[in-house]
Amino acid sequence: QPHELVTPGEEVNGWGNPMDLFDEPFPDVSTYEDFHTIDWLREKSRDTDRHRKIASRSKESFWEFTKSLLDAWSGWVVMLLIGLLSGTLAGVIDLAVDWMTDLKEGVCLSALWYSHEQCCWTSNETTFDDRDKCPQWQTWSELMTGHAEGAGAYVLNYFLYVLWALFFAFLAVSLVRVFAPYACGSGIPEIKTILSGFIIRGYLGKWTLLIKTVTLVLAVSSGLSLGKEGPLVHVACCCGNLFSSLFSKYSKNEGKRREVLSAAAAAGVSVAFGAPIGGVLFSLEEVSYYFPLKTLWRSFFAALVAAFTLRSINPFGNNRLVLFYVEYHTPWYMAELVPFILLGVFGGVWGALFIRANIAWCRRRKTTRLGRYPVLEVIAVTAITAVVAFPNPYTRRSTSQLISELFNDCGPLDSSRLCDYVNDPNMTRPVDDIPDRPAGPGVYTAIWQLALALIFKIVVTIFTFGIKVPSGLFIPSMQMAYHHHDWIIFKKWCRPGADCVTPGLYAMVGAAACLGGVTRMTVSLVVIMFELTGGLEYIVPLMAAAVTSKWVGDAFGREGIYEAHIQLNGYPFLDTKDEFTHRTLAADVMHPRRGEPPLAVLTQDGTTVEDVEELIKETDYNGFPVVVSRKSERLIGFVQRRDLTLAIKNARQKQEGVVSNSVVYFTEEMPLLPPSCPQPLKLRCILNLSPFTVTDHTPMETVVDIFRKLGLRQCLVTRSGRLLGIITKKDVLRHMAQMMNQDPDSIMFN
Amino acid sequence: QPHELVTPGEEVNGWGNPMDLFDEPFPDVSTYEDFHTIDWLREKSRDTDRHRKIASRSKESFWEFTKSLLDAWSGWVVMLLIGLLSGTLAGVIDLAVDWMTDLKEGVCLSALWYSHEQCCWTSNETTFDDRDKCPQWQTWSELMTGHAEGAGAYVLNYFLYVLWALFFAFLAVSLVRVFAPYACGSGIPEIKTILSGFIIRGYLGKWTLLIKTVTLVLAVSSGLSLGKEGPLVHVACCCGNLFSSLFSKYSKNEGKRREVLSAAAAAGVSVAFGAPIGGVLFSLEEVSYYFPLKTLWRSFFAALVAAFTLRSINPFGNNRLVLFYVEYHTPWYMAELVPFILLGVFGGVWGALFIRANIAWCRRRKTTRLGRYPVLEVIAVTAITAVVAFPNPYTRRSTSQLISELFNDCGPLDSSRLCDYVNDPNMTRPVDDIPDRPAGPGVYTAIWQLALALIFKIVVTIFTFGIKVPSGLFIPSMQMAYHHHDWIIFKKWCRPGADCVTPGLYAMVGAAACLGGVTRMTVSLVVIMFELTGGLEYIVPLMAAAVTSKWVGDAFGREGIYEAHIQLNGYPFLDTKDEFTHRTLAADVMHPRRGEPPLAVLTQDGTTVEDVEELIKETDYNGFPVVVSRKSERLIGFVQRRDLTLAIKNARQKQEGVVSNSVVYFTEEMPLLPPSCPQPLKLRCILNLSPFTVTDHTPMETVVDIFRKLGLRQCLVTRSGRLLGIITKKDVLRHMAQMMNQDPDSIMFN
């Protein structure tokens, strides 16, 4: 009698998992191989099985009941841990970046580990004006030569500034190259791909987490034109992966693991901008592929905990969640919508240009010799950035300090040059009336410097995004914006000699427009912007700018920067945003095509063990359809290559009488065999009895829709019940690339 | 030769639409009948066909190109129109409610159409204290007897207050009964059902729009414990339906129409609360079923326009988007999280209780004689509400006025009794230091009155929600909340004799908790609350309360009030939130069951026109599978009953030689028939060649997932290529109800 590999109950769901039966025969065999896509439907089904098992066991004893409760709450526990760790890491990164950025200019004598700002807090002079001049803080020239002013001191400071920047950048790129090559870049394109169901082992590993955190600090401190926001999403996802491996519910199910990662991405954005709701929306709109409502609530919780942890660490010293808290008191007027929409147009154009230029440069890096010298490239970009940045005060300081100054409304006590309005000598007006005063000479100087800074940043960011250090885009592209308010406001808008519009608001709207143009986010962008700045009153301007910039950007090309990088790298990402509108049918896409060898199939009762082993050896397909007979070609199921290999190996080792000549049976009933025949092998338990099928007449748009919504890995094609062929996700992606006149072989896939 | 009904190109997609070929043979035949569900996949496919046709035509001439551009922009145009109209309607409703609510108490002599507040604006005394006493505003007793004070005046005012309330309520319920029965209730359960793909003709019609707008004003003004927020969503959806019928892109495609309705729901919430982003999230989280990212952007735009229009109308006279704008200046402390979470627990318990009690009452109304006298019921509830409400100042005024007072922080000039703190005679402290002063007697009176108001509102709302006038829940359940801050703050929290916590904040958090408990929203709730109040600083408290109340509420029962009402009414709503975890298979759910008559099928070449007509007459199925032959049972396609009826009717009228004996062919090739045979009828063009199939071994959880995600109407069940049965959406819903031990026949369905 054949050995029963499985209890009858196991078979019900059609995907009986033989792994539970062999007592871990081969350690470290995971369900999917590296660079493979997952089958969402199968993962979901496995999770439901797990649930059922736990639910039925929980009635057995109190201990099992407790375990089932723990299992039910493990999702929330993971969220809590992710929130705590990513909040803590974000706080540490913020503090470290502050300190190291200031280290390029000088050092705090009273305590070496204080940043410039912290150093001067401890001093008694607390007004903003004296911030730069507190005695404990010494620039390098002061420390080394005793001179704070003069050409010599300037050159020495300049030289040391560049040297520190180069040192930080070199350290960052070396660490990345030696320890964790996946730690470079913003990580968001890869995370999008992973969340869509692709396996990239190690991309979210512990080493990547550690190295990314360290090199992120170094890269940002080196003054490169990159932000820490995108990488923080990667860091948070690494945390998510780390903690999900603690619970078998998530570690053994790639589908459930992706739910955790979606929530972790939300936590990452939450701490990057202090915008918990924006983070959830970002995860929903931009990053995630499969985002059930349950994940929405979990993400919400993770984002909350992360923001809260960051607030407790309080890296900005203002007890607020947000980095650039601003409070504007001036309302905006209807007519101002025109400049806001113009800012949106600018943002859209800039975004489209940036994407094209950056992709062109990255393609060049990939295809020419340039790509072979990543360290040199980083050093070169850093050197250029540092050399050009130092003379201009707006580029010298850290980007986020600049942004917070630009976003701010001018107050009467502000020493910023942007706020250098001519003081009314009579002082009859109330203090918040500054915008009505005529602009002073400082304002005009500031405008020139800002304009130069803008041009410099535009150019350098194109070359920076994509180099081999952790790099984010958010802050640099937000930075693009501040500069426009100048032209629009001071020149055109108001009556001559008096400036009447809040520049900070224009900076904010401009930032939203530029970010929108680059990333093509809409709702999440607006929410992030107004959570970031506290400017709730300005939803309408922000929305107007964001929608305009998206429209304008889309007119030049529908992809955002992340999709463009996904395509550049050939990741197998089935975008849910693109609509497939071509008139092809499943028959045009399936394999085998006309003239190709026939499909490799198994029959339900006509194959021997040897045949199967040969088939496995000769082909590299992930699975094989099983048909009634080669003549009728009626489909009965689908068997995974991995399961087949394991089952035969196991049967040969443990089951007596199974030899090469044994017939493999996928049928329910076994025929009575004469005793001369070798012992047959019954493998119905590993047969997926509910493979997904479509007919050959199904339009490809429907097939694409099914692949997207159900997250299939493959789909069988039939005509009136006969098996005709198979369509894999790779076939779908290739077909889509072909239809868009792209090289179908550019898609990386196994 | 057989008449070719369709050009070869049409056939490609498998769902050739014969409607385009007959020149509108039967006017007013729409694709789906009333109370049927739509096939999302088919609708999508039809839309892609439309797109292709337009795209290919657009190359022909400049005029066609312009038309294709117009078509591409029509989505945005519809959004613009929806935003404009729903914003305008919301503004008009706000103004009318204000005026009519005040009409119950008195009248403005200087201009009859002014509300109390507007009346006193025009007067010179503008301080808040004098608001109630401006000379132009006369209470009814003043006007009729000349006395403003005294027992007689009080009784007269009381009597007229109740009379007006009854008059408004009677008018409302009569209008609803006579003109638009669908205008009653909040409408959100029905809109959820419609958006999930159900057809309820007239529910979003012009009459409903008109009557709902008018009766909403009447119902709210009558003082019933209901809000205008839910109905505003219904009103906005009616606008959406109205405008989508202007464009054939939307009017002829039920799937596309639902995208417009999702966006309209967002616009509705946007104007109801002045919360555009919250509106989009509400539509996403709570209302919509199919919400692609494109709809997210469109909703965003519609919500923006609607909010903007409302702001231009400026019904609150404060140039702000939001109804209850508050600006708190006190930060909150970590330890305060404890009361916030307690508020969450209270909210969850209250929500669960409310749902149970309200559903029990509504079920009673449905099943007993009570339901036969809706007008009497409304009159009774209104009378009780008005009689009880008048003596208590907190229930007498309109609910939104009360909320705005409760949310407000006490200022030094505030005359509200809640802010009656003992004034420090020395006045040494700065003005914003009020919370540190000891509470005066007015505060304690206010607390008692609020507590009474709370109890009254709890009881009356249970009976109000579901009566036959437009009724919303948001405001009443938000109202539940204010009352708690009293106990928690004044008694426990601070050192005795001094109150140190902002009551308004607690009111806000409590409101969020109660709303969360009733509706089980999370993210959208928090966003609405902080957009509503401008309290961006308090995301964390709001989030904590919302998540807690959801947890607690879910522990008592997983359904929110809307889902509970959907179930009560038996709408065929396939909830995406519930997980199906039972171990049944497709074979257990499909029809025919064991012992039932076999499935009604057509064969591809063996049926005559007469047979088909008989089959149509005898059965009421929506469609029939077509098989190769009755013996092999191999499935080749699925044909819709409607298409079949139309095609045969048309052929009999227009095609010569088609008689009852004609054989119906679904094959590609026609056999050569002897001349003695009657002219055959070729119907392959109406055959759906890509019907959706699953195997009989497919677990039901997968089938449910497929129905949810692809929006199927039916699905065929096969085993090794043979047709076994059919599963319709109704079967799935019935099976789910059965598995949850509910009466499967309670589901309304055709």
Side-chain angles (χ1 to χ4, degrees):
Chain A
Q1 275 222 330
H3 188 91
E4 278 281 343
L5 275 174
V6 77
T7 53
E10 287 292 329
E11 213 178 303
V12 164
N13 116 339
W15 284 312
N17 184 358
M19 288 303 294
D20 294 348
L21 303 163
F22 318 128
D23 338 307
E24 304 194 9
F26 316 107
D28 268 327
V29 169
S30 69
T31 322
Y32 298 98
E33 283 161 53
D34 204 2
F35 297 112
H36 276 230
T37 42
I38 68 169
D39 185 332
W40 287 91
L41 218 52
R42 188 183 162 188
E43 296 300 297
K44 194 167 177 191
S45 186
R46 283 178 54 211
D47 184 59
T48 318
D49 278 356
R50 235 193 92 267
H51 257 291
R52 278 196 211 112
K53 222 177 271 172
I54 289 173
S56 67
R57 265 191 216 148
S58 74
K59 284 161 201 153
E60 285 169 13
S61 71
F62 183 74
W63 169 234
E64 291 288 344
F65 179 71
T66 319
K67 258 169 65 181
S68 79
L69 272 189
L70 283 179
D71 180 78
W73 279 84
S74 64
W76 295 102
V77 173
V78 170
M79 293 302 136
L80 182 71
L81 293 173
I82 289 172
L84 288 175
L85 185 58
S86 50
T88 311
L89 284 177
V92 170
I93 289 172
D94 282 340
L95 290 173
V97 166
D98 255 17
W99 177 68
M100 285 173 65
T101 303
D102 291 342
L103 197 64
K104 289 190 295 181
E105 296 191 41
V107 72
C108 185
L109 289 184
S110 56
L112 288 177
W113 56 91
Y114 273 2
S115 71
H116 192 157
E117 202 176 339
Q118 288 166 327
C119 190
C120 295
W121 276 346
T122 51
S123 106
N124 288 328
E125 296 118 306
T126 49
T127 58
F128 193 84
D129 211 29
D130 297 328
R131 200 201 95 127
D132 288 351
K133 289 156 198 158
C134 76
Q136 291 91 333
W137 180 260
Q138 300 240 306
T139 60
W140 291 113
S141 65
E142 276 181 282
L143 200 70
M144 291 161 83
T145 66
H147 295 290
E149 309 281 329
Y154 186 81
V155 170
L156 184 62
N157 279 334
Y158 200 160
F159 178 71
L160 280 167
Y161 180 90
V162 176
L163 212 66
W164 274 111
L166 287 175
F167 172 66
F168 290 156
F170 178 74
L171 210 61
V173 71
S174 312
L175 281 172
V176 166
R177 274 183 71 80
V178 175
F179 294 106
Y182 282 143
C184 70
S186 94
I188 291 184
E190 285 79 11
I191 287 168
K192 278 189 80 160
T193 313
I194 289 174
L195 286 177
S196 83
F198 196 54
I199 308 263
I200 309 181
R201 291 219 186 289
Y203 199 84
L204 302 174
K206 281 169 215 149
W207 267 113
T208 310
L209 173 61
L210 184 68
I211 297 297
K212 184 117 192 181
T213 311
V214 174
T215 52
L216 174 58
V217 172
L218 289 168
V220 173
S221 310
S222 74
L224 279 168
S225 178
L226 42 81
K228 60 185 195 305
E229 286 64 27
L232 267 179
V233 175
H234 188 178
V235 166
C237 283
C238 290
C239 298
N241 197 41
L242 183 72
F243 290 122
S244 70
S245 65
L246 297 181
F247 297 87
S248 69
K249 185 176 179 180
Y250 297 105
S251 64
K252 287 189 180 163
N253 192 310
E254 292 291 337
K256 296 294 281 180
R257 189 203 291 267
R258 272 156 186 75
E259 289 179 21
V260 174
L261 294 181
S262 286
V269 175
S270 166
V271 287
F273 294 103
I277 292 168
V280 173
L281 284 176
F282 178 80
S283 178
L284 167 70
E285 188 186 344
E286 192 62 23
V287 186
S288 294
Y289 190 81
Y290 170 65
F291 203 88
L293 278 176
K294 208 165 135 197
T295 309
L296 188 73
W297 303 324
R298 298 245 165 113
S299 308
F300 189 45
F301 180 70
L304 164 78
V305 174
F308 204 73
T309 311
L310 184 61
R311 185 184 186 268
S312 314
I313 294 175
N314 196 8
F316 309 116
N318 58 358
N319 241 322
R320 288 188 195 278
L321 265 178
V322 298
L323 187 52
F324 311 118
Y325 187 84
V326 287
E327 217 171 309
Y328 304 131
H329 295 287
T330 39
W332 56 277
Y333 307 97
M334 278 286 197
E336 285 188 81
L337 271 183
V338 177
F340 293 147
I341 285 171
L342 283 178
L343 279 178
V345 172
F346 173 86
V349 172
W350 142 247
L353 274 180
F354 174 79
I355 292 171
R356 294 242 172 134
N358 182 253
I359 289 295
W361 181 251
C362 288
R363 178 159 291 134
R364 201 185 174 80
R365 184 186 293 131
K366 263 188 106 164
T367 50
T368 63
R369 286 198 308 176
L370 188 73
R372 288 190 228 151
Y373 310 104
V375 179
L376 255 180
E377 190 195 353
V378 171
I379 295 291
V381 172
T382 314
I384 294 168
T385 311
V387 168
V388 179
F390 186 83
N392 188 333
Y394 287 104
T395 48
R396 190 193 308 172
R397 70 187 71 187
S398 93
T399 326
S400 33
Q401 275 173 28
L402 170 58
I403 293 178
S404 92
E405 186 181 326
L406 286 166
F407 273 12
N408 256 310
D409 213 351
C410 291
L413 300 170
D414 241 332
S415 72
S416 157
R417 246 188 299 176
L418 259 183
C419 297
D420 177 20
Y421 293 95
V422 177
N423 270 301
D424 192 337
N426 305 324
M427 283 301 277
T428 50
R429 303 186 197 178
V431 282
D432 57 344
D433 204 21
I434 288 172
D436 282 339
R437 281 182 271 154
V443 174
Y444 293 103
T445 323
I447 289 169
W448 274 110
Q449 286 176 346
L450 275 177
L452 284 176
L454 167 67
I455 293 160
F456 164 64
K457 281 276 171 183
I458 285 182
V459 175
V460 86
T461 305
I462 290 170
F463 296 99
T464 309
F465 189 72
I467 59 174
K468 299 285 173 214
V469 287
S471 56
L473 244 192
F474 284 117
I475 291 284
S477 45
M478 278 172 58
Q479 216 187 347
M480 294 304 140
Y482 323 118
H483 316 279
H484 324 301
H485 59 76
D486 315 334
W487 312 324
I488 294 162
I489 300 164
F490 296 119
K491 304 284 140 63
K492 289 190 224 152
W493 195 246
C494 290
R495 51 191 191 285
D499 312 304
C500 61
V501 184
T502 324
L505 173 59
Y506 281 77
M508 194 168 95
V509 172
C514 289
L515 250 178
V518 173
T519 61
R520 306 291 157 82
M521 303 190 288
T522 52
V523 184
S524 50
L525 172 65
V526 172
V527 176
I528 287 176
M529 285 305 295
F530 85 84
E531 278 193 281
L532 185 65
T533 56
L536 191 75
E537 277 287 285
Y538 302 103
I539 297 178
V540 174
L542 284 172
M543 279 178 134
V547 169
T548 314
S549 83
K550 186 174 161 56
W551 278 344
V552 172
D554 279 354
F556 289 96
R558 292 193 66 83
E559 292 164 324
I561 184 78
Y562 301 127
E563 284 83 30
H565 271 263
I566 284 173
Q567 218 177 69
L568 179 73
N569 292 324
Y571 293 130
F573 180 71
L574 193 54
D575 199 347
T576 44
K577 287 177 203 167
D578 283 348
E579 292 205 26
F580 184 86
T581 53
H582 302 278
R583 292 186 90 149
T584 43
L585 296 184
D588 306 330
V589 180
M590 71 177 190
H591 281 94
R593 306 270 169 93
R594 206 179 294 253
E596 284 183 347
L599 199 63
V601 295
L602 298 171
T603 55
Q604 64 176 356
D605 52 6
T607 339
T608 60
V609 169
E610 201 176 7
D611 293 343
V612 175
E613 282 170 336
E614 194 137 324
L615 191 66
I616 291 173
K617 208 185 286 168
E618 280 173 5
T619 63
D620 58 350
Y621 302 129
N622 282 320
F624 306 94
V626 179
V627 293
V628 172
S629 69
R630 281 190 200 275
K631 199 176 142 248
S632 82
E633 284 185 327
R634 288 203 326 227
L635 180 73
I636 63 159
F638 192 82
V639 63
Q640 297 281 332
R641 177 202 189 84
R642 229 191 92 260
D643 293 346
L644 205 57
T645 320
L646 274 176
I648 288 180
K649 206 165 183 176
N650 192 271
R652 279 205 184 247
Q653 283 173 1
K654 297 192 180 168
Q655 212 175 325
E656 260 175 58
V658 170
V659 290
S660 298
N661 255 352
S662 298
V663 177
V664 175
Y665 279 93
F666 290 102
T667 50
E668 218 162 338
E669 300 295 318
M670 298 278 290
L672 276 175
L673 293 170
S676 64
C677 284
Q679 177 79 284
L681 178 59
K682 194 179 173 185
L683 288 184
R684 194 178 173 85
C685 57
I686 61 165
L687 186 63
N688 173 2
L689 287 166
S690 51
F692 225 85
T693 58
V694 293
T695 67
D696 59 336
H697 273 87
T698 312
M700 269 312 286
E701 62 186 83
T702 309
V703 176
V704 169
D705 219 41
I706 293 169
F707 268 90
R708 270 180 195 154
K709 288 189 179 153
L710 301 178
L712 297 182
R713 203 177 175 190
Q714 73 272 318
C715 178
L716 297 168
V717 182
T718 60
R719 180 196 288 161
S720 24
R722 275 177 207 279
L723 178 68
L724 283 189
I726 190 169
I727 297 180
T728 62
K729 197 170 172 185
K730 187 188 189 179
D731 296 328
V732 173
L733 284 163
R734 281 201 173 147
H735 180 70
M736 288 173 80
Q738 226 160 11
M739 287 285 127
M740 285 189 287
N741 298 318
Q742 286 161 356
D743 178 19
D745 291 324
S746 66
I747 291 164
M748 174 171 84
F749 214 105
N750 293 65
Chain B
Q1 274 221 334
H3 188 93
E4 275 283 343
L5 276 173
V6 78
T7 53
E10 288 292 327
E11 213 177 300
V12 164
N13 117 338
W15 283 314
N17 185 359
M19 288 303 293
D20 293 347
L21 303 163
F22 319 129
D23 340 305
E24 303 194 9
F26 316 108
D28 268 329
V29 169
S30 68
T31 323
Y32 298 98
E33 284 161 54
D34 205 3
F35 296 113
H36 276 231
T37 43
I38 69 170
D39 185 330
W40 287 91
L41 218 52
R42 189 183 160 188
E43 296 300 296
K44 195 168 176 192
S45 185
R46 283 179 53 212
D47 184 58
T48 319
D49 277 356
R50 235 193 92 269
H51 257 291
R52 276 195 213 115
K53 223 176 271 173
I54 289 172
S56 66
R57 264 191 218 148
S58 74
K59 284 162 201 154
E60 284 169 16
S61 70
F62 183 73
W63 170 236
E64 291 289 344
F65 179 71
T66 319
K67 258 168 67 182
S68 79
L69 272 188
L70 283 178
D71 181 80
W73 279 83
S74 65
W76 294 102
V77 173
V78 171
M79 293 303 137
L80 181 72
L81 292 172
I82 291 172
L84 288 174
L85 184 58
S86 51
T88 310
L89 285 177
V92 170
I93 290 171
D94 282 341
L95 290 172
V97 165
D98 254 20
W99 177 69
M100 284 173 65
T101 305
D102 290 342
L103 196 64
K104 289 190 296 181
E105 296 190 41
V107 73
C108 186
L109 289 184
S110 57
L112 289 176
W113 56 91
Y114 274 0
S115 73
H116 194 157
E117 203 176 338
Q118 288 166 325
C119 190
C120 296
W121 276 346
T122 50
S123 107
N124 289 327
E125 296 115 309
T126 47
T127 58
F128 194 84
D129 211 27
D130 298 328
R131 200 202 95 125
D132 288 350
K133 288 156 198 157
C134 76
Q136 290 92 331
W137 181 259
Q138 300 240 306
T139 60
W140 292 113
S141 66
E142 276 180 279
L143 199 70
M144 291 162 83
T145 66
H147 295 291
E149 309 282 326
Y154 187 83
V155 170
L156 183 61
N157 280 334
Y158 199 159
F159 177 72
L160 280 168
Y161 180 91
V162 175
L163 212 63
W164 275 111
L166 287 175
F167 172 66
F168 291 155
F170 177 74
L171 211 59
V173 71
S174 312
L175 281 173
V176 166
R177 272 183 73 79
V178 175
F179 293 106
Y182 283 143
C184 70
S186 93
I188 291 183
E190 286 79 10
I191 286 168
K192 279 189 80 161
T193 313
I194 289 174
L195 285 178
S196 82
F198 196 55
I199 308 265
I200 308 181
R201 291 218 184 288
Y203 199 85
L204 301 174
K206 282 169 215 149
W207 267 113
T208 311
L209 172 60
L210 183 69
I211 298 297
K212 184 117 192 183
T213 309
V214 173
T215 53
L216 174 57
V217 172
L218 290 167
V220 173
S221 310
S222 76
L224 280 169
S225 179
L226 43 82
K228 61 184 193 309
E229 285 64 27
L232 268 180
V233 175
H234 187 177
V235 166
C237 283
C238 290
C239 297
N241 198 42
L242 184 70
F243 290 122
S244 70
S245 65
L246 298 181
F247 297 87
S248 68
K249 185 178 179 179
Y250 297 106
S251 63
K252 287 190 179 163
N253 191 309
E254 292 291 338
K256 295 296 280 180
R257 189 201 292 267
R258 272 157 185 76
E259 289 179 20
V260 174
L261 295 180
S262 287
V269 176
S270 165
V271 287
F273 293 104
I277 292 168
V280 173
L281 285 175
F282 179 80
S283 178
L284 168 71
E285 187 184 344
E286 192 61 25
V287 186
S288 294
Y289 190 81
Y290 170 65
F291 203 87
L293 279 177
K294 207 165 134 198
T295 308
L296 189 73
W297 303 325
R298 298 247 164 112
S299 309
F300 188 46
F301 180 69
L304 164 79
V305 174
F308 203 73
T309 311
L310 184 60
R311 184 184 186 267
S312 312
I313 296 175
N314 195 8
F316 309 117
N318 59 359
N319 243 322
R320 287 187 196 279
L321 265 177
V322 298
L323 187 52
F324 311 119
Y325 187 84
V326 288
E327 216 173 310
Y328 303 133
H329 296 286
T330 39
W332 58 276
Y333 306 97
M334 279 287 199
E336 286 189 83
L337 270 184
V338 177
F340 292 147
I341 284 171
L342 284 178
L343 278 179
V345 173
F346 172 87
V349 172
W350 143 247
L353 274 180
F354 174 79
I355 291 170
R356 295 242 172 135
N358 181 254
I359 288 294
W361 181 250
C362 288
R363 179 159 291 134
R364 200 183 177 82
R365 185 186 295 132
K366 263 188 107 165
T367 50
T368 65
R369 286 197 307 175
L370 188 72
R372 288 190 228 154
Y373 309 105
V375 179
L376 256 180
E377 190 195 354
V378 171
I379 296 291
V381 172
T382 313
I384 295 169
T385 311
V387 168
V388 180
F390 186 84
N392 188 333
Y394 288 103
T395 49
R396 189 193 309 171
R397 69 187 72 189
S398 93
T399 326
S400 33
Q401 275 173 28
L402 170 59
I403 293 178
S404 94
E405 185 179 329
L406 286 166
F407 273 12
N408 257 309
D409 214 352
C410 290
L413 299 170
D414 241 333
S415 71
S416 157
R417 246 187 301 177
L418 260 182
C419 297
D420 178 21
Y421 293 96
V422 176
N423 271 300
D424 193 336
N426 305 323
M427 283 302 275
T428 51
R429 303 187 197 178
V431 282
D432 58 342
D433 204 22
I434 288 169
D436 283 339
R437 283 182 270 154
V443 174
Y444 293 104
T445 324
I447 290 169
W448 274 111
Q449 286 177 345
L450 275 178
L452 284 175
L454 169 67
I455 293 161
F456 164 63
K457 282 278 171 181
I458 285 181
V459 174
V460 87
T461 306
I462 290 170
F463 296 100
T464 308
F465 189 73
I467 60 173
K468 299 286 173 212
V469 285
S471 56
L473 244 190
F474 283 117
I475 289 284
S477 44
M478 277 172 59
Q479 215 187 347
M480 295 304 142
Y482 325 116
H483 315 280
H484 322 301
H485 59 76
D486 317 333
W487 312 324
I488 295 164
I489 301 164
F490 296 118
K491 304 284 142 63
K492 289 190 224 150
W493 194 246
C494 291
R495 51 193 190 284
D499 312 305
C500 63
V501 184
T502 324
L505 173 60
Y506 281 78
M508 194 168 94
V509 172
C514 288
L515 250 178
V518 173
T519 60
R520 307 290 157 81
M521 302 191 286
T522 51
V523 183
S524 50
L525 174 65
V526 173
V527 176
I528 287 176
M529 287 304 296
F530 85 86
E531 278 192 282
L532 187 64
T533 56
L536 191 75
E537 276 289 284
Y538 303 103
I539 297 178
V540 173
L542 283 173
M543 277 177 134
V547 170
T548 315
S549 83
K550 185 173 163 55
W551 278 344
V552 172
D554 279 353
F556 289 96
R558 292 194 67 82
E559 290 164 327
I561 184 78
Y562 302 127
E563 284 84 31
H565 272 263
I566 284 174
Q567 218 174 70
L568 179 73
N569 292 324
Y571 295 128
F573 181 71
L574 192 54
D575 200 348
T576 43
K577 288 177 201 167
D578 284 347
E579 291 204 27
F580 184 86
T581 52
H582 302 279
R583 292 187 90 148
T584 42
L585 295 185
D588 306 330
V589 179
M590 70 176 190
H591 282 94
R593 304 272 169 92
R594 208 179 291 255
E596 284 180 347
L599 197 63
V601 295
L602 299 171
T603 55
Q604 64 177 359
D605 52 7
T607 340
T608 61
V609 168
E610 202 177 6
D611 293 344
V612 175
E613 283 171 336
E614 195 138 321
L615 190 67
I616 290 173
K617 208 185 287 171
E618 280 175 4
T619 63
D620 59 349
Y621 302 128
N622 283 319
F624 307 94
V626 178
V627 294
V628 172
S629 69
R630 281 190 200 277
K631 200 176 141 246
S632 83
E633 283 183 330
R634 289 203 323 227
L635 180 72
I636 63 158
F638 191 82
V639 62
Q640 297 281 332
R641 177 203 191 84
R642 229 191 92 262
D643 294 345
L644 206 56
T645 319
L646 273 177
I648 287 179
K649 207 166 181 176
N650 192 269
R652 278 205 185 248
Q653 282 173 1
K654 297 191 182 169
Q655 214 173 327
E656 261 176 58
V658 171
V659 292
S660 300
N661 256 354
S662 298
V663 177
V664 174
Y665 279 93
F666 290 101
T667 49
E668 217 161 338
E669 301 295 316
M670 299 279 290
L672 276 176
L673 294 170
S676 63
C677 284
Q679 177 77 283
L681 179 59
K682 195 180 174 187
L683 288 183
R684 194 177 173 86
C685 58
I686 60 164
L687 185 63
N688 174 1
L689 287 165
S690 50
F692 225 85
T693 58
V694 295
T695 68
D696 58 337
H697 273 87
T698 312
M700 268 314 282
E701 63 187 80
T702 308
V703 176
V704 170
D705 219 41
I706 292 170
F707 267 90
R708 270 181 196 154
K709 287 188 180 154
L710 300 179
L712 297 182
R713 202 178 177 191
Q714 72 271 319
C715 177
L716 298 168
V717 183
T718 60
R719 180 195 286 160
S720 26
R722 274 177 208 278
L723 179 68
L724 283 188
I726 189 169
I727 297 179
T728 62
K729 196 169 171 186
K730 186 187 188 178
D731 296 329
V732 172
L733 283 163
R734 281 200 174 147
H735 180 70
M736 288 175 79
Q738 224 160 12
M739 288 286 128
M740 287 190 285
N741 298 318
Q742 286 160 355
D743 178 18
D745 291 325
S746 66
I747 291 165
M748 173 172 84
F749 215 103
N750 293 67

